Amino acid sequence: MAYEITIRKTENSRISSLDVENIGFGKIFADHMFVVDYDGKTWTDARIEPYGNMELSPATSALHYGQSIFEGMKAFAANGEVQLFRPIENWKRLNISARRMVMPEIPQDLFMQGLNTLLDLDRAWVPAADGCSLYIRPFLFATDDFVGVRPSEKYRFCIFCCPVGPYYSKPLRVKVEEDYSRSAPGGTGYTKCAGNYGASMFPTKKAQQEGYDQVLWTDPVTHKFVEETGTTNFFAVFHDKIVTPELDETLLAGITRNSVIHILKHLGHTVEERKLSVQELKDALQAGELKELFITGTAATMIYLEGFGHHGTYYDVIANGNHTISNQVKDLMESIRYGRGADLFQWMTRVEAMNEVPA
Ligand code: COI
């Protein structure tokens, strides 16, 4: 279905102030945003507007009862074009989150047309420099002004974009978290709801006060098995295999995680998706069989870990390890994303010029 999207362009483009050498992450916003409202029955008033503040009632229910979900995705400058990385996977995951949070699902055409129209307009904001990209933030939140716990009737879906460099500027040290849980059986761990991130901040702050960069969450029942970090999925490279925690309702199904598994298998590595205990990591490290730990996420892309802390002891993985496998995967991933090599798995979607957007 074709949606009518009205476009109000900015009269004050900020593109000339973009300093690609100093973009950091999440601080600079492209000129426009896509907005569409759900009135309780249908999606209405799809529009592109200049990026800017929104007026909301103080009673906006997303602010009180947490019906707020989001996605993170990226576009790359590749051979003079703008290419989106696996956008349909983000659309699917957004709707998985929407179902769990009793929010309306976004139709695929609305998501893709909004995205394409926005990125076509702001294509100059996709930085061409190596390691840089346009981070895209689709999000959906409840807009009823009502006090009381029940699903909102009205919602707003928006997309804005940030030109970004690396999320992490250096390899991380993570603390294996056993006192707090990110998620629980029957909970919302597999969704990208805002509350998952809000609840993670206290344990993360404590870990940072102890000298770590991030938490490595463990399963909420026994705290013996690793799950994911505060911002990414997790991989461990053993001498003969690569293991990543299996997905269940407490883990986020990372699109980068899935892509990395594809690439690892394509490169001939053995990948196991299964439970991975902290004890197994410690035993393998002691036996010299743990070669590398790395993490994957849209924002973080791929980065290796220096080591992990458990029960007050620091386990230095990089001292006798390396980052061969994460580098190998990253190289192939980047050659696909930046169009330096073939799009081996048909992951890239070209942003069409607007007059070519399918009707
Ligand atoms: C992403 O990787 O896109 C996320 O949403 C996580 C957050 C660290 C930005």
Side-chain angles (χ1 to χ4, degrees), residues 27-329:
K27 294 180 297 194
I28 301 169
F29 302 95
D31 276 335
H32 298 93
M33 59 186 184
F34 172 70
V35 184
V36 60
D37 290 311
Y38 186 77
D39 65 8
K41 290 195 178 67
T42 55
W43 292 98
T44 146
D45 193 15
R47 56 205 187 270
I48 302 272
E49 299 175 346
Y51 177 87
N53 295 346
M54 292 176 179
E55 189 170 299
L56 293 172
S57 156
T60 298
S61 68
L63 301 176
H64 301 266
Y65 310 113
Q67 275 186 298
S68 177
I69 59 175
F70 69 97
E71 273 302 315
M73 51 198 297
K74 277 181 174 170
F76 298 84
N79 305 321
E81 294 188 336
V82 175
Q83 299 273 359
L84 287 156
F85 183 73
R86 306 190 75 182
I88 297 295
E89 299 307 314
N90 292 92
W91 165 73
K92 285 184 191 159
R93 193 172 62 181
L94 184 70
N95 282 342
I96 289 172
S97 300
R99 285 196 286 277
R100 177 62 177 82
M101 301 298 288
V102 202
M103 301 168 86
E105 293 182 35
I106 315 285
Q108 181 176 345
D109 290 345
L110 181 61
F111 184 90
M112 289 307 294
Q113 285 171 33
L115 193 58
N116 194 97
T117 312
L118 179 65
L119 264 78
D120 182 41
L121 203 59
D122 278 348
R123 59 174 68 236
W125 286 88
V126 186
D130 222 27
C132 294
S133 57
L134 191 73
Y135 183 80
I136 303 164
R137 172 51 58 87
F139 63 109
L140 173 66
F141 63 101
T143 52
D144 276 8
D145 46 346
F146 173 77
V147 175
V149 182
R150 57 129 173 90
S152 179
E153 285 169 10
K154 293 184 263 107
Y155 295 84
R156 179 166 288 176
F157 175 62
C158 309
I159 309 176
F160 66 77
C161 304
C162 304
V164 296
Y167 189 82
Y168 292 116
S169 52
K170 63 168 191 56
L172 310 187
R173 295 154 62 102
V174 295
K175 175 189 170 188
V176 175
E177 180 56 66
E178 295 176 300
D179 296 328
Y180 300 94
S181 299
R182 174 184 169 274
S183 58
T188 57
Y190 65 97
T191 74
K192 257 182 118 57
C193 68
N196 286 350
Y197 294 83
S200 75
M201 290 183 196
F202 182 67
T204 307
K205 188 174 168 198
K206 281 185 82 170
Q208 287 166 349
Q209 283 164 348
E210 292 165 30
Y212 296 97
D213 302 294
Q214 259 297 341
V215 287
L216 177 54
W217 295 108
T218 51
D219 74 279
V221 178
T222 69
H223 291 294
K224 286 187 168 46
F225 300 97
V226 296
E227 295 211 319
E228 59 184 78
T229 78
T231 52
T232 65
N233 292 113
F234 175 84
F235 286 77
V237 181
F238 296 84
H239 75 287
D240 57 347
K241 58 184 173 283
I242 297 148
V243 181
T244 189
E246 67 191 351
L247 295 178
D248 71 10
E249 62 185 346
T250 60
L251 267 89
L252 187 76
I255 294 155
T256 313
R257 172 190 181 278
N258 174 277
S259 310
V260 166
I261 293 172
H262 255 80
I263 290 179
L264 285 167
K265 289 183 177 168
H266 171 81
L267 294 171
H269 298 292
T270 301
V271 183
E272 295 178 5
E273 294 179 67
R274 62 165 168 82
K275 289 195 184 307
L276 174 60
S277 70
V278 185
Q279 195 58 48
E280 182 178 350
L281 291 175
K282 293 201 293 194
D283 290 346
L285 183 64
Q286 199 176 19
E289 288 176 1
L290 183 64
K291 303 295 177 201
E292 184 176 351
L293 299 177
F294 67 90
I295 56 175
T296 65
T298 299
T301 58
M302 292 185 64
I303 190 157
Y304 67 90
L305 300 183
E306 285 190 351
F308 61 93
H310 188 231
H311 288 158
T313 304
Y314 182 66
Y315 296 86
D316 191 339
V317 177
I318 200 66
N320 296 305
N322 54 53
H323 36 96
T324 314
I325 301 286
S326 51
N327 275 354
Q328 196 187 17
V329 177

